[in-house]
Amino acid sequence: MQVEVNIDETYTRPKAVILTAALTDEVRQAVEFLSHADAPPITGYQGEIVRLLAPAELIRIYASAGKVLAATERGEYTLRLRLYEAEARLDPHLFVRISNSELIHLKKVQSFDLGLTGTIRVKLSDGTVTYVSRRYVSKLKKQLGL
């Protein structure tokens, strides 16, 4: 990949422009990296253990009993963020809100069951089954192109 940097004092924040003939995996990775370069990491807590959680390892983030939890393949972590703050730090093309209290990682979805009237049943990679609330069904269908 050819890289060019132009210094222009009129820009207060850096701006990246990618010129390409096709949208390749390399270009997608560059866009994803640049889009989240200034996003603070998501920190998860398990008792006294603190881990920086990569977006790729997150399965879902949900609110339960007044806490916000992040489910990963390694277990669940408590977040010291509100759900909307976690949502703002994540890629909106990969993470979607399915209810007032839950976000899911679309790449961690095993299946969507559209057979239920007015809602969608979601099975995630860790075996968790959750449901899209009626309020978010049309938004999810639009995002998935259904």
Side-chain angles (χ1 to χ4, degrees), residues 63-119:
S64 177
K67 294 181 179 181
V68 176
L69 303 167
T72 69
E73 297 292 339
R74 296 182 184 191
E76 291 191 343
Y77 296 86
T78 302
L79 304 182
R80 292 184 182 165
L81 297 171
R82 297 194 183 275
L83 197 60
Y84 73 88
E85 292 171 326
E87 183 177 20
R89 294 183 184 193
L90 299 168
D91 184 348
H93 297 99
L94 294 176
F95 291 87
V96 63
R97 187 181 284 260
I98 61 167
S99 70
N100 282 341
S101 60
E102 188 170 7
L103 299 166
I104 59 170
H105 188 176
L106 289 175
K107 288 190 174 182
K108 303 290 183 167
V109 173
Q110 283 185 344
S111 65
F112 291 105
D113 181 357
L114 306 174
L116 301 170
T117 305
T119 190

